[in-house]
Amino acid sequence: MATATPSLPRIEASGLEDVVAATTRLSDVDGDNGRLVLAGSPVEDVAGTLSFEQAIGLLWHGSIPTPSEATRIREALGEAREAAYERIPELGDALALPDAMDALRAAMGHLAVRANEDPFTEALRITAATAVFAAAWARSPAPLRPDPRLGHAADYLRMVTGHPAAPPAVAALDAYLVTVVDHGMNASTFAARVVASTASDTVSAVVAAIGALKGRLHGGAPGPVLDMLDAIGEPAAAHAWMTSALARGERIMGMGHRVYRVRDPRAFVLERAVARLEAAEGSASSAGRRLHLARAVENEAVAVLTARHPDRPLKANVEFYTAILLEAIGLPRTLFTPTFAASRVFGWCAHVNEQRAVGRLIRPKSRYVDAPPRV
Ligand code: COA
């Protein structure tokens, strides 16, 4: 029989809030003012404007790639997707696991660790594999072969859905992938940096990060956001649903953030991306109807949470509109968190690269609170 874990006294900042654990050139999160900067560019300027390929060039090199540089990244990613696809037969039962994140974690663990590989080439190889393995899980046991002529977003969508993706859907996915590629010292990035700090390899760091991302407090929220919208059904039912969920001690998924004290800037960017889809498809489309319900539920959630926590602003976070966007472009909700990983993996690799340059083991302390040793 399982024994209950005795509760321990909490230290101040038990979630390491406000602790600065690294310096980085990759992104800056300003929680008070709701600003996110990706390698010098506000997220609003790059999401919806740059392709994923351009954004990862920006993140790695610090400036937006020229057209020919972007083409080289696109071709390298395409070749890396093909190479990852060729490895699928070596993954054993990994892609047969019922949970997509368990499958992704297991599949990524099979990637080769190559000493002396150029770090950018390695980041592209690992990034490509994440998308290919996630899509392969969705279509297991008959994954689709990548098409290296396509952009990364278009090919991912095609590999998942089985048909060529419409340009507005590709644009929406590119906007999403760019929006979530990096975000300061979030839990999965921290996990990756801790592993890298031990002088371990990048694949191990990415596998650890996938484990962290899977949790519902981090990357696992968007599926439950849609479950919540399904359960609410119509705007008029939102208030009663929220009140009873909170009375049961549940958290409202897609609301609240460790760092942001205002609405997450990524929620604005993704809401706009969904609104563009709605404009392309019409307000009576399923994207349009979802957006209408989501906005009403968000307003109600903010009102209920403000009444409950007047001193702790709890607003929509990135996951709220992630759910709406990924559903609108035809991804199954089981693939929402793996799709998050398909973008953030590049951020993890870039952080691993930075951490290696620091070259110092991350090793905090704990406070022992049990009885002193008997003498
Ligand atoms: N719904 C209901 N209550 C919430 C809440 C939510 N989404 N988020 C925070 N709260 C409550 C907490 O229960 C806590 O209440 P208490 O003081 O009565 O115990 C209070 O607000 C303060 O929260 P705190 O513990 O400081 O938040 P955190 O920084 O540890 O948590 C999250 C941040 C993201 C983990 C949290 O907001 C959450 O669980 N959100 C839902 C999951 C989600 O959307 N995750 C994706 C994040 S991008």
Side-chain angles (χ1 to χ4, degrees):
M1 202 171 74
T3 50
T5 309
S7 68
L8 290 166
R10 278 225 192 159
I11 54 163
E12 214 181 304
S14 56
L16 299 188
E17 43 269 52
D18 297 327
V19 173
V20 176
T23 51
T24 182
R25 291 197 170 83
L26 299 170
S27 61
D28 183 36
V29 182
D30 175 348
D32 292 331
N33 297 302
R35 289 203 196 100
L36 167 61
V37 172
L38 293 171
S41 295
V43 67
E44 300 77 18
D45 290 0
V46 290
T49 315
L50 300 188
S51 65
F52 181 62
E53 285 85 343
Q54 289 173 304
I56 63 179
L58 165 68
L59 207 61
W60 197 273
H61 299 295
S63 59
I64 296 174
T66 62
S68 64
E69 285 165 349
T71 303
R72 272 203 296 280
I73 295 174
R74 183 180 155 126
E75 287 170 356
L77 260 185
E79 282 166 25
R81 285 196 304 277
E82 282 192 306
Y85 179 82
E86 297 302 336
R87 302 214 53 169
I88 290 176
E90 300 161 26
L91 301 180
D93 291 339
L95 297 182
L97 289 171
D99 179 275
M101 287 300 279
D102 291 346
L104 188 61
R105 191 188 56 224
M108 295 297 286
H110 283 261
L111 286 183
V113 175
R114 294 185 185 149
N116 304 323
E117 186 175 19
D118 164 67
F120 186 55
T121 307
E122 179 184 59
L124 294 181
R125 174 170 69 90
I126 293 175
T127 300
T130 311
V132 170
F133 294 165
W137 175 86
R139 299 192 74 82
S140 184
L144 288 190
R145 177 174 282 282
D147 181 347
R149 295 164 305 173
L150 294 176
H152 197 62
D155 203 21
Y156 178 62
L157 212 42
R158 186 194 60 84
M159 286 189 288
V160 172
T161 62
H163 52 77
V170 176
L173 182 57
D174 258 322
Y176 170 72
L177 296 175
V178 171
T179 301
V180 302
V181 69
D182 196 47
H183 198 243
M185 198 49 54
N186 60 87
S188 57
T189 298
F190 185 54
R193 285 191 83 129
V194 169
V195 174
S197 85
T198 72
S200 184
D201 60 274
T202 312
V203 173
S204 298
V206 164
V207 169
I210 290 172
L213 188 72
K214 179 187 171 189
R216 76 191 149 77
L217 300 188
H218 186 9
V225 167
L226 279 194
D227 296 341
M228 171 177 74
L229 294 183
D230 285 346
I232 292 175
E234 51 173 2
H239 182 81
W241 191 93
M242 301 271 158
T243 318
S244 71
L246 290 173
R248 289 193 301 273
E250 291 172 15
R251 291 190 174 200
I252 310 298
M253 290 293 117
M255 303 300 295
H257 197 270
R258 171 56 62 80
V259 182
Y260 292 119
R261 292 292 166 265
V262 293
R263 195 176 190 240
D264 186 331
R266 300 166 299 173
F268 287 99
V269 169
L270 298 183
E271 185 188 3
R272 258 203 305 277
V274 183
R276 279 198 292 270
L277 270 181
E278 182 195 21
E281 294 173 10
S283 60
S285 64
S286 55
R289 279 181 280 120
R290 267 294 201 215
L291 189 58
H292 176 68
L293 176 62
R295 284 174 170 152
V297 168
E298 180 191 356
N299 288 340
E300 190 56 45
V302 171
V304 169
L305 290 170
T306 305
R308 218 179 155 90
H309 298 280
D311 302 327
R312 175 76 160 88
L314 295 167
K315 313 274 188 196
N317 63 47
V318 64
E319 307 286 36
F320 198 82
Y321 287 95
T322 289
I324 316 302
L325 187 151
L326 297 183
E327 181 192 48
I329 62 173
L331 293 184
R333 60 189 82 177
T334 48
L335 264 197
F336 288 0
T337 310
T339 305
F340 189 168
S343 167
R344 182 61 60 81
V345 64
F346 189 84
W348 296 331
C349 292
H351 275 273
V352 163
N353 198 40
E354 280 193 341
Q355 188 61 42
R356 289 224 171 88
V358 176
R360 189 160 168 81
L361 177 71
I362 296 175
R363 204 307 188 186
K365 298 204 299 190
S366 51
R367 186 178 302 146
Y368 178 70
V369 293
D370 209 339
R374 278 183 293 275
V375 280

